[in-house]
Amino acid sequence: MANHKSSLKRIRQTASRRLRNRYYAKTARNAVRNLRKMTDKAEAQAALVKVTAMLDRLAAKKTISKNKASNLKSKLALYTNKLA
């Protein structure tokens, strides 16, 4: 166990950040999954805007890498445009 006050604080901070990051990453994965299930183009395009913003926020906070966010946004945009 850590002996320094700063080490104990760092452990607490890391634990809370990890939980927060896991929550937001899981929420984003669910949003992507739900978007991929959509069949209505108008509904999918509305959801795409929200999912894109969510992925950008996660990439900015380095919860996911910017390349992963870009790849997901690209694939989702292609999927939404192909809907009839």
Side-chain angles (χ1 to χ4, degrees), residues 39-42 79-84:
T39 54
D40 181 36
K41 186 168 186 162
Y79 172 76
T80 336
N81 289 335
K82 283 182 184 177
L83 288 175

Side-chain angles (χ1 to χ4, degrees), residues 35-57:
L35 179 58
R36 286 190 176 134
K37 286 181 186 175
M38 290 183 184
T39 54
D40 181 36
K41 186 168 186 162
E43 186 182 343
Q45 284 179 331
L48 179 65
V49 175
K50 291 179 182 176
V51 172
T52 301
M54 190 183 298
L55 291 172
D56 284 336
R57 241 175 288 134

Side-chain angles (χ1 to χ4, degrees), residues 7-23:
S7 300
L8 294 170
K9 181 178 177 181
R10 178 65 57 200
I11 290 168
R12 288 194 309 270
Q13 285 178 332
T14 305
S16 62
R17 284 183 185 147
R18 179 175 174 268
L19 283 175
R20 191 178 313 120
N21 287 342
R22 284 182 63 192
Y23 170 76

Side-chain angles (χ1 to χ4, degrees), residues 55-73:
L55 291 172
D56 284 336
R57 241 175 288 134
L58 288 176
K61 292 181 180 181
K62 296 192 170 96
T63 303
I64 61 173
S65 75
K66 64 183 175 73
N67 287 341
K68 182 176 178 65
S70 294
N71 288 336
L72 282 170
K73 290 190 306 185

